[in-house]
Amino acid sequence: MNRESVVAEALSLLDEVGLDAVSTRQLAKRLGVEQPSLYWYFRTKKDLLAAMAQAAMAPHANAPLPTPEDDWRAWFLENTRSFRRTLLMRRDGARLHAGSTPTADLDRIRHKMSFLVDSGVPEREAQMAMLTASRFTVGSVLEEQAASVPGDGPDLPADMPRVDPESAFEAGLSLIVDGLTQRLTA
């Protein structure tokens, strides 16, 4: 047993039972160890959840970084879509990620910010665009994942149109990019 295997098993448990049911007791049982032995790797459940969030974000964290030749709009759209896809890969992925601090990803975030600034987006607008896109994406996925659990979604009247989550996400993302583009050309 090592830190990585504990996190991998914790993510498997998450996918099976959901975030609310993940416990160190259940995790220890699955690993065939006593609960206190988990404290060798993680001092608290919060530490375990942070490691789980970081591991769950690996597909997005390993996505190619932008290059100077990239169009900032196309990159911004794909970066945000990649973030959404990654959150959707895990049951309760958005809840797991919400409130986590991307300390292992700071160099990548700095690179992305530098790319936007070098592409002509003022630093403050680049920060706000990245923050807005991130929070919009987490919120969208939170809603989408909640609606996918039977009984947890909203009970809409029969005559109210259903909105496809991906279409709604794309529409909101376009509004963010279009708004930033208009602000830059004003």
Side-chain angles (χ1 to χ4, degrees), residues 60-65 104-113:
H60 180 63
N62 294 324
L65 288 168
D105 202 27
L106 291 179
D107 286 338
R108 290 179 60 84
I109 292 169
R110 286 185 189 105
H111 181 93
K112 292 174 183 183
M113 288 297 301

Side-chain angles (χ1 to χ4, degrees), residues 75-94:
W75 171 82
F76 191 91
L77 291 167
E78 180 48 36
N79 182 67
T80 308
R81 290 174 183 136
S82 168
F83 181 44
R84 177 179 179 266
R85 285 190 303 271
T86 301
L87 292 174
L88 286 168
M89 293 173 92
R90 295 280 176 193
R91 180 174 177 179
D92 294 333

Side-chain angles (χ1 to χ4, degrees), residues 13 17-18 67 75 96 125 135 151 164:
L13 179 61
V17 301
T67 63
W75 171 82
L96 178 65
E125 278 77 4
R135 291 184 175 173
D164 169 58

Side-chain angles (χ1 to χ4, degrees), residues 38-78:
L38 293 177
Y39 298 120
W40 177 260
Y41 303 102
F42 303 99
R43 296 178 63 114
T44 66
K45 183 177 177 183
K46 183 179 177 181
D47 293 339
L48 173 63
L49 292 172
M52 290 169 62
Q54 182 178 341
M57 289 307 299
H60 180 63
N62 294 324
L65 288 168
T67 63
E69 299 79 35
D70 290 335
D71 174 72
W72 76 262
R73 290 165 201 80
W75 171 82
F76 191 91
L77 291 167
E78 180 48 36

Side-chain angles (χ1 to χ4, degrees), residues 116-139:
L116 288 172
V117 171
D118 292 346
S119 296
V121 180
E123 185 174 359
R124 179 73 177 156
E125 278 77 4
Q127 289 172 343
M128 290 300 102
M130 292 290 287
L131 181 64
T132 300
S134 174
R135 291 184 175 173
F136 166 70
T137 303
V138 170

